[in-house]
Amino acid sequence: MTRSQGVVVALSVAGVGISIYLTLLHYAGFAPVCPATGAINCEAVLASSYAVIFGTTIPTSAAGIVWFAVCALIAGWRAGPVHLLWAAVGLATMLYLVFVELILVRAICLWCTAAHVLVVLIALIWVYAWSAREAAAR
Amino acid sequence: MSKKKRPVAPGGRRAPGQKQVRKPVSGTPAWVAPAAVAVVLAIIIGAFLIYRWYTTPLPLPSPSPNTTAALIAQVTGLPASEFETVGLGTADKTRLTKVTGTPLVGATGKPQVFYVGGEFCPFCAAQRWPLIIALSRFGKFSGLDVTSSSETDVNPNTPTFTFRRATFTSQYVDFRGLEVSDRQQQPLQTPSTAEQAVWSKYDPGQTIPFIDFGNLYVSSGAMYKPEVLGGQSWQAVIDAVKDPTSVAAQAVIGSANLVTAAICKMTADKPAAVCSSAMIQDLETKLP
């Protein structure tokens, strides 16, 4: 396994962990309160109507568990079209969820942001690995 | 047999039969693709931030002192028929929990309603309306002022009031309203040691809004969703609240009636003009 593949595995494991935590928070319910310190409000994001997959009651964080788990599984393969396609799925979903946070719910969940950063990092590593492979093949 | 080298013609031209060798062309560096992806993502997220800034309701312009006084007079002078018609409305009575402890008394020795909130918090913004309306049935406020919740939080710029300079006088109940943070989430008022102890005892998570009704009941959170007040002006909210069939009245007046029932339990149903109403008596039976 190359170093970049190892990094992707590590990032994926972290992503699975964060997604599991967010899923647990979603099912824990949400009280209409603010923390006295005014910290950023994960509960407002996770309890919003946008926090579930369309037409279901399944939280989007559960989809994150699947996405990151697949990343860990395919990390050992040489970067190719499958990785780019999976990265595109992750990036598109990430952009939609950032839109929901910033525009629709107007609250930012730092844990969600951490997961989004992991999606971007994994995608960038795969794009770089694919690009480097293409350059070497020329 | 040694291989003969083909001679190179003068000027570097190819000798007959010599294949042209192309110089290797440098490809696009590997970092360009991920950098392009990162730039596109940054542009899209930047566009979201600009759109958010553009569509955030503007902070409500502060009314003049005379207008503020008129607003407060309307909020604190609603007719009794309004309360009777709405009843519990859409108030969330699960926000109230029964507690036990030494009765909480205020500075004048009467049972005390103790509120902790923050000016930035949209749930506090929502909860102050029914709290002010309910308490005004037991006494009189002075020093109330208008404000709105944080413009960067969920439910931005929710119109409300602040207790930061408010005082309350009543024959029946004391009130202590503490705003621990201002609209920019900066520290504002500090609870005393005793106040901190009460807050910590009944709300270890230190969430706001927190209301202690004489150590008989505590309320955590807003009894209705701040969306009901949805970035409207204070007068628009008051006009909506005056219509008992409106969503705002069902939420705000319903919550005020719930708060009133809790205060009546503290004051042993005094004053009778407020607490003896069949609707309040019925609500008291629904308290935890």
Side-chain angles (χ1 to χ4, degrees), chain B residues 168-241:
Chain B
F168 180 76
T169 51
S170 164
Q171 301 175 52
Y172 310 102
V173 63
D174 284 338
F175 173 68
R176 169 66 166 149
L178 204 60
E179 306 286 5
V180 294
S181 305
D182 66 12
R183 199 166 169 264
Q184 284 73 38
Q185 300 176 21
Q186 296 303 306
L188 189 56
Q189 296 174 319
T190 307
S192 67
T193 307
E195 288 166 347
Q196 183 66 54
V198 168
W199 187 20
S200 299
K201 177 180 178 184
Y202 295 117
D203 185 11
Q206 306 276 274
T207 57
I208 52 175
F210 167 81
I211 308 175
D212 183 331
F213 295 93
N215 283 352
L216 265 185
Y217 301 98
V218 295
S219 167
S220 175
M223 293 175 178
Y224 65 96
K225 292 183 179 177
E227 287 93 307
V228 168
L229 307 179
Q232 303 174 75
S233 68
W234 294 272
Q235 188 61 58
V237 173
I238 291 169
D239 290 341
V241 165

Coordinates of all heavy atoms in Angstrom, one line a residue, chain B residues 168-241:
Chain B
F168 N -39.1 44.6 37.7 CA -40.5 44.1 37.8 C -41.0 44.3 39.2 O -40.3 43.9 40.2 CB -40.5 42.6 37.4 CG -41.9 42.0 37.4 CD1 -42.8 42.3 36.4 CD2 -42.3 41.1 38.4 CE1 -44.1 41.7 36.4 CE2 -43.5 40.6 38.5 CZ -44.4 40.9 37.4
T169 N -42.2 44.9 39.3 CA -42.8 45.0 40.6 C -44.1 44.4 40.7 O -44.9 44.5 39.7 CB -42.9 46.5 41.0 OG1 -43.6 47.2 39.9 CG2 -41.6 47.2 41.2
S170 N -44.4 43.7 41.8 CA -45.7 42.9 41.9 C -46.0 42.7 43.3 O -45.1 42.6 44.2 CB -45.5 41.6 41.1 OG -46.5 40.7 41.5
Q171 N -47.3 42.6 43.6 CA -47.7 42.2 45.0 C -47.5 40.7 45.2 O -47.6 40.2 46.3 CB -49.1 42.5 45.2 CG -49.6 43.9 45.0 CD -51.1 44.0 45.2 OE1 -51.7 43.5 46.2 NE2 -51.7 44.6 44.2
Y172 N -47.4 39.9 44.1 CA -47.5 38.5 44.2 C -46.2 37.7 43.9 O -46.1 36.6 44.5 CB -48.6 38.0 43.2 CG -49.9 38.8 43.3 CD1 -50.2 39.8 42.3 CD2 -50.8 38.6 44.3 CE1 -51.3 40.5 42.4 CE2 -51.9 39.3 44.4 CZ -52.2 40.3 43.4 OH -53.4 41.0 43.5
V173 N -45.4 38.2 43.1 CA -44.2 37.4 42.6 C -43.0 38.4 42.3 O -43.2 39.5 41.9 CB -44.6 36.6 41.4 CG1 -45.0 37.5 40.2 CG2 -43.5 35.6 41.0
D174 N -41.8 37.9 42.6 CA -40.6 38.6 42.2 C -40.1 38.0 40.9 O -40.4 36.8 40.6 CB -39.5 38.4 43.3 CG -39.8 39.2 44.5 OD1 -40.5 40.3 44.4 OD2 -39.2 38.9 45.6
F175 N -39.4 38.8 40.2 CA -38.8 38.3 38.9 C -37.4 38.7 38.8 O -37.0 39.9 39.1 CB -39.6 38.9 37.7 CG -39.0 38.6 36.4 CD1 -38.9 37.3 35.9 CD2 -38.4 39.6 35.6 CE1 -38.3 37.0 34.7 CE2 -37.8 39.3 34.4 CZ -37.7 38.0 33.9
R176 N -36.5 37.8 38.5 CA -35.1 38.1 38.2 C -34.8 37.6 36.8 O -34.9 36.4 36.5 CB -34.2 37.4 39.2 CG -32.7 37.4 38.9 CD -32.1 38.8 39.0 NE -30.6 38.6 39.0 CZ -29.8 39.5 38.5 NH1 -30.3 40.6 37.9 NH2 -28.5 39.3 38.6
G177 N -34.5 38.5 35.9 CA -34.2 38.2 34.5 C -32.7 38.5 34.2 O -32.3 39.6 34.4
L178 N -32.0 37.4 33.8 CA -30.6 37.5 33.6 C -30.2 37.3 32.2 O -30.5 36.2 31.7 CB -29.9 36.5 34.5 CG -28.5 36.6 35.0 CD1 -28.3 37.9 35.8 CD2 -28.1 35.5 35.9
E179 N -29.6 38.2 31.5 CA -29.1 38.0 30.2 C -27.6 37.8 30.2 O -26.8 38.7 30.5 CB -29.4 39.2 29.3 CG -30.9 39.6 29.2 CD -31.8 38.6 28.5 OE1 -31.3 37.6 28.0 OE2 -33.0 39.0 28.3
V180 N -27.2 36.5 30.1 CA -25.7 36.2 30.3 C -24.9 36.6 29.1 O -23.7 36.7 29.2 CB -25.5 34.8 30.7 CG1 -26.2 34.5 32.0 CG2 -26.0 33.8 29.6
S181 N -25.5 36.8 27.9 CA -24.7 37.1 26.7 C -25.5 38.2 25.9 O -26.7 38.2 26.0 CB -24.5 35.9 25.8 OG -24.0 34.8 26.5
D182 N -24.7 39.0 25.2 CA -25.4 40.0 24.4 C -25.6 39.4 23.0 O -25.4 38.2 22.8 CB -24.6 41.3 24.3 CG -23.3 41.2 23.6 OD1 -23.0 40.1 23.0 OD2 -22.4 42.1 23.8
R183 N -26.0 40.3 22.1 CA -26.4 39.8 20.8 C -25.2 39.3 20.0 O -25.4 38.5 19.0 CB -27.0 41.0 20.0 CG -27.9 40.6 18.8 CD -28.7 41.8 18.4 NE -29.3 41.4 17.1 CZ -28.8 41.7 15.9 NH1 -27.7 42.5 15.9 NH2 -29.3 41.3 14.8
Q184 N -24.0 39.7 20.3 CA -22.8 39.2 19.7 C -22.2 38.1 20.5 O -21.0 37.8 20.3 CB -21.8 40.4 19.5 CG -22.1 41.3 18.4 CD -23.3 42.2 18.7 OE1 -23.5 42.7 19.9 NE2 -24.2 42.5 17.7
Q185 N -22.9 37.5 21.4 CA -22.5 36.4 22.2 C -21.3 36.8 23.1 O -20.6 35.9 23.6 CB -22.1 35.2 21.3 CG -23.2 34.7 20.5 CD -22.8 33.5 19.5 OE1 -21.8 32.9 19.7 NE2 -23.6 33.3 18.5
Q186 N -21.2 38.0 23.5 CA -20.2 38.5 24.4 C -20.8 38.4 25.8 O -22.0 38.7 26.0 CB -19.7 39.9 24.1 CG -19.0 40.0 22.8 CD -17.8 39.1 22.7 OE1 -16.9 39.1 23.5 NE2 -17.8 38.2 21.7
P187 N -20.0 38.1 26.8 CA -20.6 38.1 28.2 C -21.3 39.4 28.6 O -20.8 40.5 28.2 CB -19.4 37.8 29.1 CG -18.3 37.3 28.2 CD -18.6 37.9 26.8
L188 N -22.4 39.3 29.3 CA -23.2 40.5 29.6 C -23.4 40.5 31.1 O -22.7 41.2 31.8 CB -24.5 40.5 28.9 CG -25.3 41.8 28.9 CD1 -24.5 43.0 28.5 CD2 -26.6 41.6 28.1
Q189 N -24.3 39.8 31.6 CA -24.6 39.8 33.1 C -24.2 38.5 33.7 O -24.3 37.4 33.1 CB -26.1 40.0 33.3 CG -26.6 41.3 32.8 CD -28.1 41.5 33.0 OE1 -28.9 40.6 32.7 NE2 -28.5 42.7 33.4
T190 N -23.7 38.6 34.9 CA -23.1 37.4 35.6 C -24.1 36.9 36.7 O -24.5 37.8 37.5 CB -21.7 37.7 36.2 OG1 -20.9 38.3 35.2 CG2 -21.1 36.5 36.7
P191 N -24.4 35.7 36.7 CA -25.3 35.2 37.8 C -24.5 35.3 39.2 O -23.3 35.1 39.2 CB -25.6 33.8 37.5 CG -24.7 33.4 36.3 CD -24.1 34.6 35.8
S192 N -25.2 35.6 40.2 CA -24.6 35.5 41.6 C -24.3 34.0 41.9 O -24.7 33.1 41.2 CB -25.6 36.1 42.6 OG -26.7 35.2 42.7
T193 N -23.6 33.8 43.0 CA -23.2 32.4 43.3 C -24.5 31.6 43.6 O -24.6 30.5 43.1 CB -22.4 32.4 44.6 OG1 -21.3 33.3 44.4 CG2 -21.9 31.0 45.0
A194 N -25.5 32.2 44.2 CA -26.7 31.5 44.5 C -27.5 31.2 43.2 O -28.1 30.2 43.0 CB -27.6 32.3 45.5
E195 N -27.5 32.2 42.3 CA -28.2 32.1 41.0 C -27.6 31.0 40.2 O -28.2 30.2 39.6 CB -28.3 33.4 40.3 CG -29.2 34.4 40.9 CD -29.0 35.8 40.4 OE1 -28.0 36.1 39.7 OE2 -29.9 36.7 40.7
Q196 N -26.2 31.0 40.2 CA -25.5 30.0 39.4 C -25.8 28.6 40.0 O -26.0 27.6 39.3 CB -24.0 30.2 39.5 CG -23.2 29.3 38.7 CD -23.4 29.4 37.2 OE1 -23.3 30.4 36.6 NE2 -23.8 28.2 36.6
A197 N -25.9 28.5 41.3 CA -26.2 27.2 42.0 C -27.6 26.7 41.6 O -27.7 25.5 41.3 CB -26.1 27.4 43.5
V198 N -28.6 27.6 41.5 CA -29.9 27.2 41.1 C -29.9 26.7 39.6 O -30.4 25.6 39.3 CB -30.9 28.3 41.3 CG1 -32.2 28.0 40.6 CG2 -31.1 28.6 42.7
W199 N -29.3 27.5 38.8 CA -29.2 27.2 37.4 C -28.5 25.8 37.1 O -29.0 25.0 36.4 CB -28.5 28.3 36.6 CG -28.5 28.2 35.1 CD1 -29.3 27.5 34.3 CD2 -27.6 28.9 34.2 NE1 -29.0 27.7 33.0 CE2 -27.9 28.5 32.9 CE3 -26.5 29.8 34.4 CZ2 -27.3 29.0 31.8 CZ3 -25.9 30.2 33.3 CH2 -26.2 29.9 32.0
S200 N -27.4 25.6 37.8 CA -26.6 24.4 37.6 C -27.4 23.2 38.2 O -27.3 22.1 37.6 CB -25.2 24.5 38.4 OG -24.5 25.6 37.8
K201 N -28.1 23.4 39.3 CA -28.8 22.3 39.9 C -29.9 21.7 39.0 O -30.0 20.5 38.8 CB -29.4 22.7 41.2 CG -30.2 21.7 41.9 CD -30.8 22.2 43.2 CE -31.7 21.0 43.9 NZ -32.3 21.5 45.1
Y202 N -30.6 22.7 38.4 CA -31.8 22.2 37.6 C -31.5 22.1 36.1 O -32.3 21.6 35.4 CB -33.0 23.1 37.8 CG -33.5 23.1 39.3 CD1 -33.5 24.2 40.1 CD2 -34.0 21.9 39.8 CE1 -33.9 24.1 41.4 CE2 -34.4 21.8 41.1 CZ -34.4 22.9 41.9 OH -34.8 22.9 43.2
D203 N -30.3 22.6 35.7 CA -29.9 22.6 34.3 C -28.4 22.4 34.2 O -27.7 23.3 33.9 CB -30.4 23.8 33.5 CG -30.1 23.7 32.0 OD1 -29.8 22.6 31.6 OD2 -30.2 24.8 31.4
P204 N -28.0 21.2 34.5 CA -26.5 20.9 34.5 C -25.9 21.2 33.1 O -24.7 21.6 33.1 CB -26.4 19.4 34.8 CG -27.7 19.1 35.4 CD -28.7 20.0 34.9
G205 N -26.7 21.2 32.0 CA -26.1 21.5 30.7 C -26.0 23.0 30.5 O -25.4 23.4 29.4
Q206 N -26.5 23.8 31.4 CA -26.3 25.3 31.2 C -26.9 25.7 29.9 O -26.2 26.4 29.1 CB -24.9 25.7 31.4 CG -24.2 25.3 32.7 CD -24.6 26.2 33.9 OE1 -23.9 27.2 34.1 NE2 -25.6 25.9 34.6
T207 N -28.1 25.3 29.6 CA -28.7 25.7 28.3 C -29.6 26.9 28.6 O -30.0 27.1 29.7 CB -29.4 24.6 27.7 OG1 -30.4 24.1 28.6 CG2 -28.5 23.5 27.3
I208 N -29.9 27.6 27.6 CA -30.8 28.8 27.7 C -31.9 28.7 26.6 O -31.6 28.2 25.5 CB -30.0 30.1 27.6 CG1 -29.1 30.2 26.4 CG2 -29.3 30.4 28.9 CD1 -28.4 31.5 26.2
P209 N -33.1 29.2 26.8 CA -33.5 29.9 28.0 C -33.9 28.9 29.1 O -34.3 27.8 28.8 CB -34.8 30.6 27.5 CG -35.3 29.7 26.4 CD -34.1 29.2 25.7
F210 N -33.6 29.3 30.3 CA -33.9 28.6 31.5 C -34.8 29.4 32.4 O -34.5 30.6 32.6 CB -32.6 28.2 32.2 CG -32.8 27.7 33.6 CD1 -33.1 26.4 33.8 CD2 -32.7 28.5 34.7 CE1 -33.3 25.9 35.1 CE2 -32.9 28.0 36.0 CZ -33.2 26.7 36.2
I211 N -35.9 28.8 32.9 CA -36.8 29.6 33.8 C -37.1 28.7 35.0 O -37.5 27.5 34.8 CB -38.1 30.0 33.1 CG1 -37.9 30.7 31.8 CG2 -39.0 30.8 34.0 CD1 -39.1 31.0 31.0
D212 N -36.9 29.2 36.1 CA -37.2 28.5 37.4 C -38.4 29.2 38.0 O -38.4 30.4 38.3 CB -36.0 28.6 38.3 CG -36.3 27.8 39.6 OD1 -37.4 27.7 40.1 OD2 -35.3 27.3 40.2
F213 N -39.5 28.4 38.2 CA -40.7 29.0 38.8 C -40.7 28.6 40.2 O -41.3 27.6 40.6 CB -42.0 28.4 38.0 CG -42.1 28.8 36.6 CD1 -41.6 28.0 35.6 CD2 -42.7 30.0 36.3 CE1 -41.7 28.4 34.3 CE2 -42.8 30.4 34.9 CZ -42.3 29.6 33.9
G214 N -40.0 29.4 41.0 CA -40.1 29.2 42.5 C -39.6 27.9 43.0 O -40.0 27.4 44.1
N215 N -38.8 27.2 42.2 CA -38.3 25.8 42.5 C -39.5 24.8 42.6 O -39.4 23.8 43.2 CB -37.5 25.8 43.9 CG -36.1 26.3 43.7 OD1 -35.7 26.5 42.6 ND2 -35.4 26.4 44.8
L216 N -40.6 25.2 41.9 CA -41.7 24.3 41.8 C -41.6 23.6 40.4 O -41.9 22.4 40.3 CB -43.1 25.0 41.8 CG -43.8 25.1 43.1 CD1 -45.1 25.8 42.9 CD2 -44.0 23.8 43.7
Y217 N -41.4 24.4 39.4 CA -41.2 23.9 38.0 C -40.0 24.6 37.4 O -39.6 25.7 37.8 CB -42.4 24.3 37.2 CG -43.7 23.7 37.7 CD1 -44.6 24.5 38.4 CD2 -44.1 22.4 37.4 CE1 -45.8 24.0 38.9 CE2 -45.3 21.9 37.9 CZ -46.1 22.7 38.6 OH -47.3 22.2 39.1
V218 N -39.4 23.9 36.4 CA -38.4 24.6 35.6 C -38.8 24.4 34.2 O -39.4 23.4 33.8 CB -36.9 24.1 35.9 CG1 -36.5 24.5 37.3 CG2 -36.8 22.7 35.5
S219 N -38.4 25.4 33.4 CA -38.7 25.3 31.9 C -37.3 25.4 31.2 O -36.5 26.3 31.5 CB -39.6 26.4 31.5 OG -39.6 26.6 30.1
S220 N -37.1 24.5 30.3 CA -35.8 24.6 29.5 C -36.2 24.7 28.1 O -36.9 23.8 27.5 CB -35.0 23.3 29.8 OG -33.9 23.2 29.0
G221 N -35.7 25.7 27.4 CA -36.0 25.9 26.0 C -37.2 26.7 25.7 O -37.9 27.1 26.6
A222 N -37.5 26.9 24.4 CA -38.7 27.6 24.0 C -39.9 26.8 23.9 O -39.8 25.6 23.5 CB -38.4 28.3 22.7
M223 N -41.0 27.3 24.3 CA -42.3 26.6 24.3 C -42.9 26.6 22.9 O -44.0 25.9 22.7 CB -43.3 27.1 25.3 CG -42.8 26.9 26.7 SD -43.9 27.7 27.9 CE -43.1 27.2 29.4
Y224 N -42.3 27.3 21.9 CA -42.8 27.2 20.5 C -41.6 27.6 19.7 O -40.5 28.0 20.2 CB -43.9 28.2 20.3 CG -43.6 29.7 20.5 CD1 -43.2 30.5 19.4 CD2 -43.5 30.3 21.7 CE1 -42.9 31.8 19.5 CE2 -43.2 31.6 21.9 CZ -42.9 32.4 20.8 OH -42.5 33.7 20.9
K225 N -41.7 27.4 18.4 CA -40.6 27.6 17.5 C -40.4 29.0 17.1 O -41.4 29.7 16.7 CB -40.8 26.7 16.2 CG -40.7 25.2 16.4 CD -40.8 24.5 15.1 CE -40.7 23.0 15.4 NZ -40.9 22.2 14.2
P226 N -39.2 29.5 17.1 CA -38.9 30.9 16.8 C -39.4 31.3 15.4 O -39.6 32.5 15.1 CB -37.4 31.1 16.9 CG -37.0 30.0 17.8 CD -38.0 28.8 17.5
E227 N -39.5 30.3 14.5 CA -39.9 30.6 13.1 C -41.2 31.3 13.1 O -41.5 32.0 12.1 CB -40.1 29.2 12.3 CG -38.8 28.5 12.0 CD -38.4 27.5 13.0 OE1 -38.3 27.8 14.2 OE2 -38.1 26.4 12.6
V228 N -42.1 31.1 14.1 CA -43.4 31.8 14.2 C -43.2 33.3 14.1 O -44.1 34.0 13.6 CB -44.1 31.3 15.5 CG1 -45.3 32.2 15.8 CG2 -44.5 29.9 15.4
L229 N -42.1 33.8 14.7 CA -41.9 35.2 14.7 C -41.2 35.7 13.5 O -41.1 36.9 13.2 CB -41.1 35.6 16.0 CG -41.7 35.1 17.3 CD1 -40.8 35.6 18.5 CD2 -43.1 35.6 17.5
G230 N -40.6 34.8 12.8 CA -39.9 34.9 11.5 C -39.5 36.2 10.9 O -39.9 36.6 9.9
G231 N -38.5 36.9 11.6 CA -37.9 38.1 11.0 C -38.9 39.2 10.8 O -38.7 40.1 10.0
Q232 N -40.1 39.2 11.5 CA -41.0 40.3 11.3 C -40.7 41.4 12.2 O -39.8 41.3 13.1 CB -42.4 39.8 11.7 CG -42.9 38.6 11.0 CD -44.3 38.1 11.5 OE1 -45.3 38.7 11.3 NE2 -44.2 37.0 12.3
S233 N -41.3 42.6 12.1 CA -41.2 43.7 13.0 C -41.9 43.3 14.3 O -42.8 42.5 14.3 CB -41.7 45.0 12.4 OG -43.1 44.9 12.3
W234 N -41.6 44.1 15.3 CA -42.3 43.8 16.6 C -43.8 44.1 16.4 O -44.6 43.4 16.9 CB -41.7 44.8 17.7 CG -40.3 44.5 18.0 CD1 -39.8 43.6 18.9 CD2 -39.1 45.0 17.4 NE1 -38.5 43.5 19.0 CE2 -38.0 44.4 18.0 CE3 -38.9 46.0 16.4 CZ2 -36.7 44.7 17.7 CZ3 -37.6 46.3 16.0 CH2 -36.5 45.7 16.7
Q235 N -44.1 45.2 15.7 CA -45.5 45.6 15.6 C -46.2 44.5 14.8 O -47.4 44.2 15.1 CB -45.7 46.9 14.9 CG -47.1 47.4 14.8 CD -47.7 47.6 16.2 OE1 -47.1 48.4 17.0 NE2 -48.8 47.0 16.5
A236 N -45.6 43.9 13.8 CA -46.2 42.9 13.0 C -46.5 41.6 13.9 O -47.6 41.0 13.8 CB -45.3 42.5 11.8
V237 N -45.6 41.3 14.8 CA -45.8 40.2 15.7 C -47.0 40.5 16.6 O -47.8 39.7 16.8 CB -44.5 39.9 16.5 CG1 -44.8 38.9 17.6 CG2 -43.4 39.4 15.6
I238 N -47.0 41.7 17.1 CA -48.1 42.1 18.1 C -49.4 42.1 17.4 O -50.4 41.6 17.9 CB -47.8 43.5 18.7 CG1 -46.6 43.4 19.6 CG2 -49.0 44.0 19.4 CD1 -46.1 44.8 20.1
D239 N -49.5 42.6 16.1 CA -50.7 42.5 15.4 C -51.2 41.1 15.2 O -52.4 40.8 15.3 CB -50.5 43.2 14.0 CG -50.4 44.7 14.2 OD1 -50.8 45.3 15.2 OD2 -49.8 45.4 13.2
A240 N -50.2 40.2 14.9 CA -50.6 38.8 14.7 C -51.1 38.2 16.0 O -52.0 37.4 16.1 CB -49.4 38.0 14.2
V241 N -50.4 38.5 17.1 CA -50.7 37.9 18.4 C -52.1 38.4 18.9 O -52.8 37.6 19.5 CB -49.6 38.3 19.5 CG1 -50.1 38.1 20.9 CG2 -48.3 37.5 19.2

